[in-house]
Amino acid sequence: MNLIDRISHQFEDNMRASLEALELLAAPIAGAVELITASLLDSGKVLVCGSSGSAGDARRFAAQLVNGFELERPALAAMALSADSSSLAPIAGDPDTQALFARQIAAFGQPGDILLTLSANPDSARVLDAIRAAHERDMRVIALTGAGGGRTAETLGPADILLCAPAERIARIREIHLLILHCLCDGIDCLLLGVED
């Protein structure tokens, strides 16, 4: 296969996965937009965490809530749990970093807040611990994952929302996650600002 064919295949694979995601996830994404917006309007906040390569997307999503997406609006209460390097440092010399998101949720999470998790790996121990910690704080969870949902899907409660990218390849999962995050930002702005188009 030559390079142009490989590139074409990447684009076509992305389009197939995105169209499948649209059919499966449009309604749950709308539900997530409504859930986040209701929390923000009730003085709640959004805590965002991403495992491994998804940490950057988590930081970017939180920043877009605080600073704005495509429209001018007041800042929204959001915090990326992977952004504070002092919180991510091993605690008291303990090299186990699995519980670091969970510890931040225990410190900052309040009933009515939302936890949004991002991980291409549906069995990420750090994300699973974060979900459990959010439930202990009476927070609802929106989990973005892929590869069938795995243990993340099993750990979510009935009031939580699973946004599982219909893909196995990490590249496709992360591309769909980015599109979902953009849909969330756009939908939140639409509901808060009354945008019609």
Side-chain angles (χ1 to χ4, degrees):
M1 179 181 284
N2 70 34
L3 194 53
I4 299 299
D5 288 342
R6 288 187 69 85
I7 292 167
S8 297
H9 177 72
Q10 293 288 333
F11 273 82
E12 291 162 1
D13 196 33
N14 172 284
M15 288 185 288
R16 276 191 297 272
S18 294
L19 288 174
E20 187 176 349
L22 170 63
E23 290 182 29
L24 295 172
L25 299 178
I29 292 170
V33 167
E34 292 170 347
L35 181 63
I36 292 170
T37 304
S39 175
L40 293 169
L41 289 172
D42 196 30
S43 300
K45 62 186 168 297
V46 181
L47 302 181
V48 189
C49 66
S51 70
S52 189
S54 297
D57 291 336
R59 288 191 293 272
R60 190 148 114 4
F61 178 67
Q64 287 172 325
L65 291 181
V66 172
N67 298 314
F69 179 55
E70 293 181 328
L71 299 172
E72 185 67 32
R73 60 150 168 75
L76 302 176
M79 183 171 81
L81 301 181
S82 60
D84 182 1
S85 60
S86 62
S87 294
L88 295 175
I91 298 166
D94 184 357
D96 178 18
T97 60
Q98 179 176 317
L100 289 181
F101 291 152
R103 290 181 68 87
Q104 290 179 83
I105 291 163
F108 301 117
Q110 296 295 323
D113 289 346
I114 304 297
L115 172 67
L116 186 139
T117 68
L118 289 150
S119 179
N121 173 6
D123 300 323
S124 166
R126 190 177 292 178
V127 168
L128 294 172
D129 279 355
I131 292 169
R132 292 184 195 103
H135 288 157
E136 289 173 7
R137 304 293 289 172
D138 290 328
M139 297 169 60
R140 291 180 64 185
V141 178
I142 300 166
L144 280 68
T145 191
R151 290 175 57 206
T152 294
E154 296 167 6
T155 306
L156 295 177
D160 297 328
I161 297 175
L162 176 66
L163 299 174
C164 182
E168 298 290 328
R169 292 183 61 197
I170 291 174
R172 294 296 88 84
I173 293 169
R174 293 193 63 210
E175 288 162 4
I176 292 169
H177 285 181
L178 185 58
L179 181 55
I180 291 170
L181 294 176
H182 288 166
C183 289
L184 293 175
C185 289
D186 177 73
I188 291 164
D189 283 1
C190 175
L191 290 184
L192 290 176
L193 300 174
V195 176
E196 293 298 326
D197 56 4

